[in-house]
Amino acid sequence: MKLPKGRRDSAMINAKAAERFTCHHPKTVRCRMVKANKQPEYRHQCATCGMQVGNAIAYSEISLAERDSLPEWDDGLHKQFEARKSAYWNELSEKEDQRIYRDWIGQYRVYLKTPEWKRLREMVVRRAGTVCEGCGQHPPTEVHHLTYTHAGEEFLFELAALCKGCHDRLHPQGDEPPADAYPPPWRP
């Protein structure tokens, strides 16, 4: 029984992030920006995302008094906006990864009840004989995946016959397989 690989729905994640972080520039502020040639330039900066809105403001549209009182262009605004956007994207990605893991682990648990798995399990226990392949002291009662890469189509060398104590040492939280297994078997 081949276990399917989950695929992160990047299109959905990108769409949600874009929906939340598409800025329509609801409030802009006139700012003073110093160009590379050290000359001032006046622009509208979005107070939400920090992006430039429109073209440079003509000198004739700004009085001398206003030029001196305008705030400096804030480079940090856009960096903060992008950091929030990135954090949100990472949060959505983590939730999607958790969903994929839950789906995969559900299918994995079904697989562990199949005659195919029982046959493999018996072969591995028989190969070990009467001794745990972990401690070499107790009889094997459980079969452990050394990797989950081929889960559902395992090679015998990817499985080890262990006693309960050794298997519990490998899975202290009882998670089978652990959510941080590498490489993650639920990913292509």
Side-chain angles (χ1 to χ4, degrees):
M1 171 182 172
K2 184 172 182 167
L3 297 179
K5 304 287 186 182
R7 292 194 183 273
R8 183 187 285 173
D9 189 348
S10 296
M12 178 271 301
I13 294 169
N14 290 337
K16 282 186 176 183
E19 181 180 326
R20 180 179 258 191
F21 285 92
T22 296
C23 186
H24 299 288
H25 315 301
K27 181 183 177 196
T28 61
V29 178
R30 284 182 165 193
C31 294
R32 180 177 184 268
M33 175 189 277
V34 179
K35 300 189 301 185
N37 66 2
K38 308 277 192 238
Q39 295 300 309
E41 185 172 75
Y42 303 97
R43 297 191 169 269
H44 290 279
Q45 183 177 28
C46 177
T48 303
C49 71
M51 293 295 292
Q52 173 184 316
V53 179
N55 295 323
I57 303 166
Y59 280 83
S60 60
E61 293 180 29
I62 303 172
S63 68
L64 286 172
E66 188 181 6
R67 288 180 197 171
D68 293 335
S69 66
L70 288 178
E72 291 291 322
W73 184 269
D74 186 352
D75 287 321
L77 271 178
H78 185 64
K79 289 176 184 169
Q80 291 168 4
F81 182 80
E82 287 298 317
R84 288 191 309 271
K85 182 178 178 180
S86 178
Y88 182 68
W89 192 92
N90 289 337
E91 177 187 327
L92 291 176
S93 295
E94 180 64 30
K95 286 179 182 176
E96 179 71 355
D97 288 349
Q98 289 170 3
R99 181 196 63 78
I100 291 167
Y101 174 73
R102 283 190 311 271
D103 290 351
W104 188 90
I105 199 74
Q107 294 172 14
Y108 175 74
R109 288 180 179 142
V110 167
Y111 166 65
L112 293 180
K113 294 176 184 173
T114 65
E116 184 180 352
W117 169 250
K118 289 178 180 158
R119 183 183 60 76
L120 272 175
R121 187 183 184 288
E122 287 300 317
M123 291 170 69
V124 172
V125 170
R126 193 175 12 191
R127 177 189 69 199
T130 59
V131 181
C132 167
E133 293 177 315
C135 65
Q137 297 175 3
H138 304 287
T141 57
E142 302 182 23
V143 173
H144 173 72
H145 282 82
L146 299 174
T147 177
Y148 296 94
T149 302
H150 301 109
E153 297 181 322
E154 300 87 349
F155 292 101
L156 288 176
F157 64 81
E158 295 177 323
L159 302 168
L162 303 174
C163 67
K164 180 163 178 28
C166 287
H167 202 219
D168 287 349
R169 280 180 58 199
L170 291 169
H171 297 285
Q173 280 79 36
D175 51 353
E176 174 82 20
D180 62 354
Y182 189 82
W186 43 91
R187 287 273 180 76

